[in-house]
Amino acid sequence: METLLEVKDLKTYFYTTKGVVKAVDGVSFSLGKGEVMGLAGESGCGKSTTAYSLIRLVPPPGKIVGGKIIFEGKNILELSDEDFRKKYRWKKISMIFQGAMNALNPVYTIGDQLAEVFMLHEGLTKTEAMSKVYELLEMVGIDPKRARSYPHELSGGMKQRVMIAMALALNPPLVIADEPTTALDVVVQAQIMNLLKKLQREKNVSIILITHDLSLIAEIADKVAIMYAGKVVEYGTAEQIYLNPQHPYTQALLRSIPRLRGEISKLEWIPGTPPDLIAPPPGCRFAPRCKFRMDICTKEEPPTIEVEPGHIVSCWLHAKK
Ligand SMILES: Nc1ncnc2c1ncn2[C@@H]1O[C@H](COP(=O)(O)OP(=O)(O)OP(=O)(O)O)[C@@H](O)[C@H]1O
Ligand SMILES: [Mg+2]
């Protein structure tokens, strides 16, 4: 499969008055064309910051301070801001922001808001743009007549469809969806997941789906990256991660998914809290909460080990003795 995106040792820090928050601290993964990657981990582990880095919109006081983001063979961190804005953002890499459906402008119809994307980026006239808007709405399962609706006239699920339409407007090869279903009920969640799956199949778009909910990722992801405290601790195909998880953190996360079928297993949560990213603990950042902790875990950073082809784990348990 053709590689679309390769992230290598990405580091994005926030320079706050309290200290340097190492929100993304050496993240690596790769994504093929048309693949869906799930990015999961507890709140505050750096998922959104990773996404903002990919689209080069890290808010101040944040800065990308290291690594490479190779997109279609080119390190996009080397492009000037202007080049990136003109040629990449929205055209090649777009994003559905966390909580964005509530950021639609209340005083304009959704049709006008969508049309603006085409007028601004492709220089279309209003009439030309509107015909594209109808197509887009149809594609995301909204009756084109709703173009005349204002955001408050739409349900949460429909507003999220509008955000998806906006992200797909310019046909980007990569769409990042940051918690696209968090505020929605389970039925609408499933519909949005089905829509993303359909778009991936029909348009061969690659998707990075960010969520803390591993059961959502299971439905559509080809690849899964598990983040903990600014690092990817395990990465592999969905099959490898769900059927053969190797990192104690991944194992604990998977045990915390409620099961609807099969025997009722006791829901387990991981005791303790994620570390402070200004002064993370030495060694493995998960060590303080890990029940398999060894001496070395609290002293030295764990090596990154390929336990089977394409399945990568950062954990001392897998180091050759
Ligand atoms: N603008 C900012 N200034 C300072 N620190 C920030 C800023 N934005 C994020 N952080 C810190 O960076 C870390 C990662 O945050 P991020 O929002 O990327 O996490 P997340 O995994 O997306 O969490 P959630 O699941 O809650 O959305 C956190 O410790 C957070 O406090
Ligand atoms: Mg987030």
Side-chain angles (χ1 to χ4, degrees):
M1 171 172 308
E2 203 184 321
T3 303
L4 179 73
L5 172 73
E6 242 188 305
V7 176
K8 287 186 181 169
D9 205 23
L10 179 68
K11 293 184 178 162
T12 305
Y13 297 170
F14 291 98
Y15 293 84
T16 71
T17 48
K18 286 190 194 143
V20 181
V21 182
K22 296 177 175 170
V24 174
D25 202 14
V27 162
S28 303
F29 60 82
S30 70
L31 185 65
K33 221 173 157 32
E35 271 188 334
V36 178
M37 186 185 95
L39 180 58
E42 281 165 287
S43 183
C45 70
K47 303 181 297 295
S48 294
T49 307
T50 302
Y52 282 122
S53 305
L54 294 175
I55 192 163
R56 286 185 49 178
L57 282 177
V58 178
K63 261 185 89 146
I64 298 174
V65 293
K68 288 181 181 164
I69 299 174
I70 299 166
F71 182 84
E72 291 178 341
K74 197 176 180 75
N75 181 5
I76 56 169
L77 294 180
E78 285 170 354
L79 297 167
S80 69
D81 282 343
E82 197 190 349
D83 257 5
F84 186 79
R85 180 173 52 81
K86 277 196 184 146
K87 297 181 191 149
Y88 284 81
R89 192 178 300 136
W90 310 126
K91 286 200 172 114
K92 286 188 174 284
I93 304 176
S94 75
M95 180 161 166
I96 301 160
F97 293 96
Q98 191 167 358
M101 65 184 186
N102 301 314
L104 283 164
N105 193 325
V107 304
Y108 294 105
T109 64
I110 57 157
D112 282 348
Q113 293 183 57
L114 285 168
E116 201 181 272
V117 178
F118 296 112
M119 291 157 71
L120 214 67
H121 290 268
E122 294 191 334
L124 301 190
T125 65
K126 182 71 189 278
T127 323
E128 290 165 341
M130 282 316 287
S131 77
K132 289 230 179 187
V133 168
Y134 300 139
E135 255 174 58
L136 260 184
L137 288 176
E138 190 108 54
M139 186 177 80
V140 298
I142 297 180
D143 182 347
K145 285 195 205 99
R146 300 303 296 257
R148 276 190 299 247
S149 300
Y150 288 89
H152 73 267
E153 296 172 309
L154 303 180
S155 66
M158 283 169 86
K159 278 191 275 191
Q160 194 56 282
R161 285 173 193 265
V162 172
M163 297 318 298
I164 293 172
M166 220 172 251
L168 284 162
L170 305 177
N171 268 316
L174 174 63
V175 175
I176 304 162
D178 193 358
E179 302 276 6
T181 63
T182 310
L184 306 170
D185 69 59
V186 285
V187 176
V188 182
Q189 269 189 359
Q191 290 167 352
I192 295 290
M193 281 300 128
N194 285 334
L195 172 62
L196 289 175
K197 202 173 355 184
K198 177 187 103 145
L199 295 168
Q200 179 258 332
R201 267 201 310 263
E202 287 175 5
K203 302 183 72 98
N204 200 35
V205 57
S206 302
I207 299 174
I208 296 179
L209 172 66
I210 296 178
T211 169
H212 54 271
D213 186 344
L214 273 174
S215 58
L216 281 181
I217 289 180
E219 289 176 37
I220 70 166
D222 304 296
K223 297 272 171 65
V224 180
I226 305 290
M227 260 186 106
Y228 187 80
K231 291 182 181 293
V232 170
V233 294
E234 185 161 3
Y235 171 80
T237 65
E239 211 170 22
Q240 289 167 341
I241 300 293
Y242 285 92
L243 301 180
N244 189 25
Q246 294 297 312
H247 197 287
Y249 179 62
T250 312
Q251 292 167 354
L253 269 186
L254 284 169
R255 277 195 301 269
S256 70
I257 299 180
R259 287 196 185 82
L260 291 179
R261 270 172 290 180
E263 81 264 40
I264 298 166
S265 67
K266 204 169 123 244
L267 207 58
E268 201 179 318
W269 188 233
I270 312 161
T273 49
D276 174 9
L277 293 180
I278 292 180
C284 171
R285 292 178 181 187
F286 186 60
R289 299 168 80 185
C290 183
K291 53 183 180 186
F292 304 104
R293 181 180 57 237
M294 303 176 289
D295 235 14
I296 192 162
C297 303
T298 55
K299 295 194 174 100
E300 281 179 53
E301 275 215 29
T304 296
I305 293 153
E306 191 162 20
V307 286
E308 57 184 315
H311 186 178
I312 289 158
V313 187
S314 286
C315 177
W316 278 114
L317 288 173
H318 297 277
K320 293 237 162 35
K321 306 274 155 29

